[in-house]
Amino acid sequence: MPRPTAAQLAYGSATVVIATIAMLLLSRTTAGIGIAVIGIAALALGLLVAMTVPLPVPADTKAAHTMRPHRGAAVPGSAGGSRSAGTAAEPAAPVHSLRR
């Protein structure tokens, strides 16, 4: 499992603090069990936020995603290079006919 980034830690921590304060103020609870439930809920929310922050894409895979063939470029492996990257292949003709 990869280590969390600084952004994930910052967003998750800020979410826990803000959610805890907001829920305590809105619920006006003074019971220990209520405070514990609010704390656990805030931690779960912070974990959810921290895990949904997008991870940075490594440089080697970022270049592979941005390098796409142009519309007029030939598809590797096509016969004579006449088929372009944006067109669909034509369906193959049947080998034999089922009619007799």
Side-chain angles (χ1 to χ4, degrees), residues 23-38:
M23 285 190 280
L24 284 173
L25 290 174
L26 290 173
S27 69
R28 296 183 184 176
T29 186
T30 56
I33 190 75
I35 294 171
V37 168
I38 288 174

Side-chain angles (χ1 to χ4, degrees), residues 54-91:
L55 294 173
V57 178
D60 58 341
T61 59
K62 190 183 296 185
H65 289 297
T66 58
M67 293 175 48
R68 295 186 181 125
H70 296 289
R71 287 193 153 217
V75 175
S78 63
S82 62
R83 188 181 303 159
S84 65
T87 61
E90 294 180 12

